[in-house]
Amino acid sequence: MAQIVKRTYKYRFYPTPEQAEELTRTFGCVRLVYNKALEERTRAYRLEGRKISYVQSSAVLTGWKRTKDFAFLNEVSSVPLQQALRHLQAAFTNFFARRAKYPVFKARKRSRQSAEYTRSAFRWREGKITLATMGGPLDIVWSRPLPASAEPSTLTVSRDAAGRWFISLLVEEKIAPLPPARTVVGVDVGITVLATLSTGEKILSPGHKRAERKKLAKVQRALARKVKGSRNRAKAKLAVARFHARIVDRRQDHLHKVTTRLVRENQVIAVEDLAVRAMVKNRSLARAISDASWRELRRMLEYKAAWYGREVLVADRWFPSSKMCSTCGAVQQSMPLNVRTWGCACGASHDRDVNAAKNILAAGLAERRNACGAGVRPQRDSSLAGGWQ
Ligand SMILES: [Zn+2]
């Protein structure tokens, strides 16, 4: 059965100087409205214990627009300003539900600059998008096609620290599940290797190339040498931002390819609970990068699995995936990080990560059977995994 899912398509675009000017002004107004409304809500909450609703905020915004000091807010599209208040509302809802921290102010330098437009604020005709306040369409690079008959319902215009402009289109799309696959796979995540599969395959992380790390260090050193506030410093800063942006893009691209492939090829994908990794005391940069990749990998696996009729199983967080022999189930006393291959008393020899991936798969499958009431211990159930493979 096909299902309707909401999906975002992101493209680069190149604004004319007038468009860039208007959008920059809009970003500024969005930030101002968000920050001012946050300030008011904070005051009401802290001083009077009063909650301000979206409707009240919206009325206050109308009031600001009538004052001389804030009349300039009338010069940009009103929709992104309203959307900023909606985002603030969502941030408060999450805060009150204890899902998020108290909302913070948007700083021009720190946060990504963006403005969101709903359907009434733009025209979508013959593959061209025109914001209601603008004369001509945006020059978008359609790097991948929008699905036929897709109607964008919301769009977000943004500019990143590297000065690149993007447009994100939210569309509803019909996605049909893939035909069932016969294979299952366990995934173990690492630092230098992005993921090791129970099949023995190792998927490398992007952005771990020596040449790249050296180049990054070079642009960062160049930045450190520049005088604060100078034009050269601004230039060097942009160079660093561009370099980071390229790394992030490539990583994201790589993760998309990996997760799409895993979901296509396998009916069940077993992964480790992230909480396990948070407990490992290793604050290195490589670790932070790999944690971020891993979170993103899991997020992608989960939504793609839901789209295509696949299943993601999460192995128990206390599970000794590295220390246990996937052949006989014996648990080793210790397994230092530098041990990459080892032999078990049962005669099996293991690649550390492949063994862990096999255990994660077996544990994930066993846990699912437990959840179904089969009452099987999660320890050793390679029979099921074997049957699948
Ligand atoms: Zn063994």
Side-chain angles (χ1 to χ4, degrees):
M1 242 181 320
Q3 51 178 330
I4 307 283
V5 300
K6 287 197 167 167
R7 195 168 177 183
T8 311
Y9 286 82
K10 191 173 177 183
Y11 303 98
R12 278 190 81 167
F13 76 98
Y14 295 88
T16 63
E18 295 76 38
Q19 287 172 340
E21 203 266 336
E22 182 184 326
L23 289 170
T24 304
R25 206 141 38 95
T26 307
F27 293 158
C29 291
V30 162
R31 202 164 49 237
L32 177 106
V33 165
Y34 186 95
N35 287 345
K36 260 181 85 67
L38 172 56
E39 198 184 320
E40 295 245 329
R41 290 181 77 139
T42 302
R43 194 182 308 129
Y45 181 62
R46 295 260 157 85
L47 297 182
E48 304 157 42
R50 195 161 49 86
K51 289 185 190 176
I52 294 184
S53 68
Y54 163 74
V55 175
Q56 286 166 316
S57 278
S58 186
V60 170
L61 170 61
T62 309
W64 292 336
K65 285 178 163 184
R66 292 203 185 106
T67 64
K68 219 177 109 208
D69 284 354
F70 295 104
F72 61 84
L73 292 175
N74 293 299
E75 291 167 19
V76 301
S77 170
S78 64
V79 172
L81 308 184
Q82 293 290 342
Q83 289 305 100
L85 295 180
R86 287 207 172 86
H87 293 158
L88 182 61
Q89 178 63 39
F92 270 99
T93 304
N94 285 335
F95 168 70
F96 288 125
R98 295 171 184 275
R99 284 191 298 264
K101 289 188 181 153
Y102 196 82
V104 294
F105 291 112
K106 283 188 195 294
R108 190 174 68 85
K109 287 192 174 159
R110 234 182 318 116
S111 41
R112 186 181 69 119
Q113 312 226 67
S114 69
E116 189 176 286
Y117 296 79
T118 50
R119 198 63 188 83
S120 62
F122 65 90
R123 274 197 312 279
W124 161 251
R125 207 167 291 154
E126 286 158 11
K128 285 196 163 37
I129 287 176
T130 311
L131 296 181
T133 51
M134 292 178 179
L138 298 175
D139 179 12
I140 298 170
V141 182
W142 298 100
S143 45
R144 56 178 174 151
L146 262 193
S149 82
E151 277 278 319
S153 58
T154 306
L155 71 81
T156 304
V157 174
S158 62
R159 190 179 51 201
D160 70 8
R164 304 177 307 171
W165 295 82
F166 293 97
I167 185 164
S168 293
L169 305 172
L170 186 69
V171 301
E172 284 196 340
E173 192 177 340
K174 212 186 228 177
I175 292 189
L178 292 166
R182 293 191 56 241
T183 48
V184 295
V185 74
V187 183
D188 178 62
V189 291
I191 297 180
T192 44
V193 171
L194 172 68
T196 303
L197 308 184
S198 52
T199 55
E201 185 185 341
K202 301 204 173 207
I203 300 171
L204 296 178
S205 320
H208 272 286
K209 297 188 188 84
R210 253 177 72 90
E212 202 156 57
R213 277 206 300 272
K214 272 167 94 177
K215 169 96 199 284
L216 177 62
K218 200 178 138 198
V219 287
Q220 278 173 334
R221 269 200 312 274
L223 172 61
R225 278 197 306 269
K226 301 288 184 280
V227 182
K228 267 204 170 151
S230 71
R231 268 195 62 190
N232 278 338
R233 186 180 163 85
K235 264 198 206 154
K237 235 178 161 165
L238 194 63
V240 171
R242 286 212 173 110
F243 195 79
H244 272 296
R246 243 197 340 262
I247 291 177
V248 169
D249 284 357
R250 189 134 39 82
R251 191 193 74 182
Q252 205 71 1
D253 202 51
H254 182 62
L255 290 174
H256 268 301
K257 285 193 181 118
V258 170
T259 51
T260 297
R261 203 197 103 196
L262 285 172
V263 165
R264 277 194 180 283
E265 290 176 357
N266 300 283
Q267 187 60 33
V268 174
I269 300 138
V271 297
E272 205 177 3
D273 195 330
L274 182 65
V276 168
R277 311 198 70 221
M279 293 169 43
V280 179
K281 297 262 186 302
N282 183 339
R283 294 265 159 265
S284 72
L285 177 66
R287 191 44 173 264
I289 293 169
S290 108
D291 281 355
S293 289
W294 170 230
R295 261 192 293 276
E296 188 62 9
L297 182 102
R298 180 160 163 198
R299 190 185 72 83
M300 288 178 179
L301 277 179
E302 280 174 346
Y303 77 69
K304 289 179 185 179
W307 284 357
Y308 295 114
R310 303 302 201 221
E311 196 176 357
V312 174
L313 299 176
V314 181
D316 187 272
R317 55 184 291 190
W318 300 111
F319 183 71
S321 62
S322 302
K323 285 190 204 166
M324 195 171 84
C325 170
S326 59
T327 308
C328 73
V331 177
Q332 309 298 306
Q333 289 279 318
S334 72
M335 186 59 63
L337 270 171
N338 59 354
V339 176
R340 304 316 304 171
T341 56
W342 57 282
C344 178
C346 75
S349 59
H350 295 298
D351 171 286
R352 177 201 183 91
D353 300 332
V354 175
N355 178 60
K358 283 181 179 166
N359 283 330
I360 288 165
L361 173 59
L365 290 171
E367 266 175 51
R368 181 178 62 172
R369 294 198 358 175
N370 278 353
C372 296
V376 183
R377 292 291 311 144
Q379 292 302 330
R380 289 215 53 227
D381 200 46
S382 50
S383 58
L384 180 59
W388 275 90
Q389 278 165 336

